[in-house]
Amino acid sequence: MAFVSGVTPYIIAVFSVVIVCFWIQSLREKKAKESKGATDSSSKVRRWVDQDLQDDTEILPQHDEFDLPHVPYAPPRYPVDVMLERSQDFYTLMDQRRSVRFISPEPVPREVIDNVIRTAGTSPSGAHTEPWTFVVVSDPHTKHKIRTIVEDEEEVNYRQRMGEKWVKDLARIRTTWVKEYLDVAPYLVLVFKQTYGIASGGKRKTHYYNEISVSVACGILLAALQNVGLVTVTSTPLNCGPRLRALLQRPANEKLLMLLPVGYPSASATVPDLKRKPLGDIAVAI
Amino acid sequence: MAFVSGVTPYIIAVFSVVIVCFWIQSLREKKAKESKGATDSSSKVRRWVDQDLQDDTEILPQHDEFDLPHVPYAPPRYPVDVMLERSQDFYTLMDQRRSVRFISPEPVPREVIDNVIRTAGTSPSGAHTEPWTFVVVSDPHTKHKIRTIVEDEEEVNYRQRMGEKWVKDLARIRTTWVKEYLDVAPYLVLVFKQTYGIASGGKRKTHYYNEISVSVACGILLAALQNVGLVTVTSTPLNCGPRLRALLQRPANEKLLMLLPVGYPSASATVPDLKRKPLGDIAVAI
């Protein structure tokens, strides 16, 4: 038979290889199509979602859909010269604010701290969810545990995780992983963002833009502290969130955003001789 | 020759298929190994990175590594009774703040707005990068273009992207995609976060925690506005960033974080009758 000639085995071999290649290719295409389909459908549903909405939040209906009545709003109105003076005075006051790492152990009246937290709580928030919890720690034992957790993690951050560059950037402002102020400051305020809420019935309630909202509240909190002559340093301890959350027994929907030691500055407090950008470098008029 | 027997072609065919299968498998493994390697090394280098640091930021050395000298810091210190009074007064003032969508077209002195922006610029920022740009728009033509862009996108957001649930949530506070205040308010302040900076030599400079920093600055800005009797509503227009950035000719490293119409409240301004959580619901004492 001509079929069993000398070249036939090679033809069959080549033919087999071609078939196998096609088969593998078709399998790959099928797989790629499937995974593309998955991407398509998710991007279709949440195409509009930006970074801050990418919580692990279930989208479920809420139960408080009542339309709130509107009420007249007439806040105090100042004459132009008073406005100008108030704007200048407030700028002068806020411009004196500095991040201070040298905090005095002197006691601070609790009521002042309470008013400062109340003030932070006046911040706006996405869909009025008020997604913040301020944990105010004055117990020395708990403060020390917080310090231990933060220093443990910060040392690892500085030594291994952050890379030479960041360590150099922060060296400019003499930050190290030793945070004595966590023991010394009369209060530590740990600000948690609630990444979702719990509606009646135990279902998850979306907290839109929770991180931005809580950060805005922190800005108002800083203003309130400066207004009473107290100091702090805004810190965002890397990787400490879960351990601190466990220590402070916060629920699973809360994530640590900021840790603020609060007190009077120590008598020998110093700050790096930083300058702020002038208005022309931060504002554009159109 | 026995080699060219009747079964040989089939043996060769099977053998070829086996070889091709092994070859494809080894190519796949190599590919998987490479991509796994990439993940490993990136997770090794930036394992500590949290959401806010996941910018599209190149990590490159900076040139301003000088150690800044420290200077003494002694801010004003108030007696306890004055502190208490100041904390109460500031709380009362800030508690009067509401998000207002009914803004008067009356002119507002430019110098007041400048002082408000200066005040926002006193905010702390990660590694003192001051990663904010405040674009203050008073030109009616540009304001109208902004309104058109925002309403275009917001209508799509409301109708298609946001889903029934969010629309219901916002219905409570009577938000719709018609934003008359964008034409009416004497100023629109568009707050951009600089996701990275440009160091000397044109290299990218990391802006750590830029979104949190700019949000904190917005909190201080809100306090400064309230302090002079002006109103705003914090808005974070979805999907408008790129078009507004192009309109305002902001560079590629800037992304829109917030859009704030600023002015006096209109004489007939109303606000939804919302309550704020009491201290006990937002603070935990330890």
Side-chain angles (χ1 to χ4, degrees):
Chain A
M1 266 166 79
F3 184 70
V4 203
S5 76
V7 292
T8 309
Y10 304 104
I11 291 168
I12 291 175
V14 168
F15 192 66
S16 307
V17 168
V18 169
I19 287 174
V20 168
C21 283
F22 268 103
W23 173 64
I24 287 168
Q25 187 56 31
S26 83
L27 274 183
R28 274 189 182 166
E29 274 171 11
K30 197 182 162 199
K31 212 170 175 180
K33 217 168 176 179
E34 275 169 14
S35 75
K36 192 166 173 289
T39 313
D40 276 359
S41 76
S42 76
S43 69
K44 200 170 172 184
V45 172
R46 305 197 70 194
R47 204 180 352 177
W48 50 270
V49 166
D50 71 6
Q51 198 184 333
D52 287 276
L53 289 159
Q54 287 170 342
D55 301 324
D56 48 345
T57 311
E58 264 181 88
I59 304 289
L60 284 170
Q62 295 191 6
H63 301 282
D64 43 359
E65 287 153 15
F66 56 92
D67 196 11
L68 287 169
H70 267 233
V71 290
Y73 182 68
R77 178 156 174 167
Y78 309 104
V80 165
D81 57 333
V82 176
M83 278 180 92
L84 259 169
E85 200 188 326
R86 288 180 69 92
S87 71
Q88 182 58 52
D89 290 350
F90 194 64
Y91 167 61
T92 304
L93 177 67
M94 289 300 130
D95 196 35
Q96 288 170 0
R97 192 203 56 76
R98 294 296 308 268
S99 292
V100 177
R101 289 169 180 79
F102 306 97
I103 297 179
S104 163
E106 293 164 272
V108 168
R110 178 74 200 206
E111 211 180 324
V112 170
I113 301 298
D114 284 348
N115 282 338
V116 164
I117 304 289
R118 274 191 192 97
T119 310
T122 67
S123 173
S125 56
H128 195 55
T129 44
E130 302 173 277
W132 37 68
T133 304
F134 301 92
V135 180
V136 182
V137 180
S138 54
D139 169 52
H141 191 59
T142 309
K143 284 197 287 180
H144 190 70
K145 280 187 185 165
I146 291 170
R147 179 178 176 178
T148 306
I149 292 172
V150 171
E151 288 186 352
D152 272 10
E153 291 290 337
E154 290 275 286
E155 184 171 354
V156 179
N157 290 333
Y158 276 78
R159 287 199 194 279
Q160 294 175 17
R161 294 175 188 141
M162 284 165 60
E164 230 179 297
K165 174 166 168 290
W166 197 356
V167 175
K168 276 183 187 162
D169 286 0
L170 289 172
R172 284 180 56 198
I173 45 177
R174 294 197 189 161
T175 304
T176 65
W177 62 85
V178 180
K179 313 246 181 222
E180 206 177 28
Y181 56 71
L182 295 176
D183 266 330
V184 172
Y187 296 101
L188 303 182
V189 180
L190 292 98
V191 186
F192 287 83
K193 58 179 182 183
Q194 298 166 355
T195 54
Y196 57 89
I198 312 292
S200 52
K203 285 181 176 174
R204 286 184 181 194
K205 210 175 94 180
T206 312
H207 279 181
Y208 311 110
Y209 294 104
N210 64 77
E211 184 165 292
I212 293 177
S213 302
V214 181
S215 301
V216 169
C218 285
I220 297 174
L221 191 149
L222 293 180
L225 285 174
Q226 177 65 12
N227 177 62
V228 292
L230 294 174
V231 296
T232 188
V233 50
T234 46
S235 74
T236 46
L238 295 172
N239 297 309
C240 302
R243 287 175 70 189
L244 292 175
R245 188 172 72 73
L247 174 70
L248 303 172
Q249 301 183 291
R250 300 312 307 153
N253 63 330
E254 295 190 3
K255 288 180 185 168
L256 184 66
L257 182 68
M258 242 177 254
L259 167 48
L260 307 168
V262 171
Y264 298 103
S266 68
S268 59
T270 59
V271 293
D273 196 12
L274 289 170
K275 302 289 172 238
R276 294 192 171 113
K277 291 179 184 171
L279 184 66
D281 286 1
I282 64 169
V284 176
I286 292 177
Chain B
M1 263 168 81
F3 185 72
V4 203
S5 76
V7 291
T8 308
Y10 305 104
I11 291 169
I12 290 175
V14 167
F15 191 65
S16 308
V17 168
V18 168
I19 285 173
V20 169
C21 284
F22 267 102
W23 174 64
I24 287 168
Q25 186 57 31
S26 82
L27 273 182
R28 274 189 182 166
E29 273 170 12
K30 198 181 160 201
K31 211 169 175 181
K33 217 170 176 177
E34 276 170 12
S35 77
K36 192 170 172 284
T39 314
D40 275 359
S41 76
S42 78
S43 68
K44 201 172 172 185
V45 172
R46 307 196 68 192
R47 204 183 348 180
W48 48 269
V49 166
D50 70 7
Q51 197 183 332
D52 287 278
L53 289 159
Q54 287 170 341
D55 301 325
D56 47 345
T57 311
E58 265 180 89
I59 303 289
L60 285 170
Q62 295 191 8
H63 302 282
D64 43 358
E65 287 153 13
F66 57 92
D67 196 12
L68 287 168
H70 267 233
V71 291
Y73 181 69
R77 178 157 174 168
Y78 310 104
V80 166
D81 57 333
V82 176
M83 278 179 93
L84 259 169
E85 200 188 327
R86 289 180 68 93
S87 71
Q88 182 59 53
D89 290 350
F90 193 64
Y91 168 60
T92 304
L93 178 66
M94 289 301 130
D95 196 36
Q96 288 170 357
R97 191 204 57 75
R98 294 296 308 268
S99 292
V100 177
R101 289 169 180 79
F102 305 96
I103 297 180
S104 162
E106 293 164 90
V108 168
R110 178 72 201 206
E111 210 180 324
V112 170
I113 300 298
D114 285 347
N115 282 337
V116 164
I117 304 289
R118 275 191 191 97
T119 309
T122 67
S123 173
S125 55
H128 195 55
T129 44
E130 301 173 278
W132 36 67
T133 305
F134 300 93
V135 181
V136 181
V137 180
S138 55
D139 171 53
H141 191 60
T142 309
K143 283 196 288 179
H144 191 70
K145 280 186 183 165
I146 291 171
R147 178 178 176 179
T148 306
I149 292 172
V150 171
E151 289 186 352
D152 271 11
E153 292 290 337
E154 289 276 284
E155 184 172 354
V156 179
N157 291 333
Y158 276 77
R159 286 198 195 277
Q160 293 175 19
R161 295 176 187 139
M162 285 166 60
E164 229 179 297
K165 176 168 165 286
W166 197 356
V167 175
K168 275 182 187 164
D169 285 0
L170 290 172
R172 283 181 57 200
I173 46 178
R174 293 193 191 164
T175 305
T176 65
W177 63 85
V178 179
K179 313 247 181 221
E180 206 177 27
Y181 55 71
L182 295 176
D183 266 330
V184 172
Y187 297 101
L188 303 182
V189 180
L190 292 96
V191 186
F192 287 83
K193 57 179 182 182
Q194 299 167 354
T195 55
Y196 56 89
I198 312 292
S200 52
K203 286 180 174 175
R204 285 184 182 193
K205 209 174 96 178
T206 313
H207 278 181
Y208 311 112
Y209 293 104
N210 63 76
E211 184 164 292
I212 293 177
S213 302
V214 181
S215 301
V216 169
C218 285
I220 297 174
L221 191 150
L222 293 180
L225 286 174
Q226 178 64 12
N227 176 62
V228 293
L230 294 174
V231 297
T232 187
V233 50
T234 46
S235 74
T236 46
L238 295 172
N239 297 309
C240 302
R243 286 175 71 188
L244 291 176
R245 189 173 71 74
L247 173 69
L248 304 171
Q249 300 183 289
R250 300 312 307 154
N253 64 331
E254 295 189 5
K255 287 180 187 169
L256 184 67
L257 182 69
M258 241 177 256
L259 167 49
L260 307 168
V262 172
Y264 299 104
S266 68
S268 60
T270 59
V271 292
D273 195 13
L274 289 172
K275 301 291 173 238
R276 292 191 172 115
K277 292 179 184 171
L279 184 65
D281 286 1
I282 64 169
V284 176
I286 292 177

